[in-house]
Structure formats: C-alpha cells, structure tokens
Amino acid sequence: MAYKYLTEDIIQKIDEYRNKFPYKEQAIIPSLHEILEKYRDIPEKSLEELAEYLKVPLNHIEGIVSFYDMFRFKKNARHHIRICRNLPCHLANYQSLLEKIKELTNADVGKSSADGRWYIELVECIGSCAIAPAFLIDNDLYDGSNLTDEELKKILEKYK
Ligand code: FES
C-alpha cells in the first residue's frame, strides 16, 4: 500500500526501530518523532498509516499521542523552543530564562509568535540536568546557566 505520510525515508527509520527493539510497540514513540520532525506536526492520517504499518491498534497510538505533550502540541512555527521545568531546572531558575526568551521572541508558552518563527513549550526533564536550566531549540541543546542576554540573543539569531 502506498502511504501519504510514511515516506520512504520515514519507513526506513521505522524499520530500523522495529529491528532494534524486541517489541514492535517500542518503535511507536521514535517513529512518531520522525513524523513530527518531518511535518512539524502529527497529521491525523499519519497515525492510521503508522498503525497499519506496525500492525498495532490505532487507539494504542492515539493514546500515546494524547499522553505526551510533545506530540499533542502542534508545532506550526518554524522553530520550536523547549525549556525544561523539572526540579533541577526549576532550582536553576528556568523561569528567568523563560521570561528572557519570551521577551526576545515575542512568543508565549503554547503560542507561536505572530511572525510564525517561534513556538515555546515547557517540557519535562530532557536528560541534561548538569546544564540546568537546559533548553532545546529544534534539536540543538543549550546550557541556560550563566547565559547573558547578549549570548541568548546571538543564539536566537541563528534561527531565521
Ligand atoms: S531537570 Fe531539566 S534537564 Fe533534567
């Protein structure tokens, strides 16, 4: 069957995940990441295609998508900023970093900036507590500790 959203490159990745894990269900989350990466969103129809391809029930995949914020939030902006809000990052004052980022991007948590450039999301631990407050812009990880406003500005300028 020809798929609209599961393109050849995505299918190749899904096959890799399927071969890597003992259970096909374990390929679901990384496969969803591939879809999100490509379309900056999770198209509804892609879930049906993934369910069919992996031969898992559609409602199982839908349950995963609705459970995880990272899949539920639509990512319509060109760049996606994820700021960790868990305890170590909380203690390292992620709130102040967030305020600076909001000011510099004109975006707000859960809302894209008017120019469509930025989308900000607060997320759970991203496994980088040593550089708390940690944040990601698209797939690039940043150390938010001791960042001056000027340095932050320069980082943001890299993403057009
Ligand atoms: S708690 Fe923020 S990266 Fe782990």
Side-chain angles (χ1 to χ4, degrees), residues 6-7 23 47 51 54 61 71 77 79-80 85 94 113 124 127 134 142 144 148 151 158:
L6 299 193
T7 50
Y23 301 104
L47 301 184
L54 286 176
I61 295 184
F71 296 131
H79 301 292
H80 192 182
R85 63 175 165 200
Y94 82 83
S113 55
E124 304 307 320
Y142 290 101
T148 63
E151 287 165 336
K158 291 199 281 184

Side-chain angles (χ1 to χ4, degrees), residues 105-133:
T105 58
N106 285 318
D108 205 342
V109 176
K111 273 193 207 141
S112 302
S113 55
D115 60 2
R117 186 171 167 201
W118 302 107
Y119 180 87
I120 302 176
E121 183 183 352
L122 290 178
V123 295
E124 304 307 320
C125 182
I126 49 178
S128 308
C129 317
I131 55 166

Side-chain angles (χ1 to χ4, degrees), residues 23-40:
Y23 301 104
K24 58 189 179 189
E25 287 78 6
Q26 290 170 292
I28 296 174
I29 290 184
S31 302
L32 288 169
H33 274 292
E34 296 298 332
I35 293 171
L36 185 61
E37 192 62 41
K38 182 157 187 129
Y39 301 105
R40 309 194 142 253

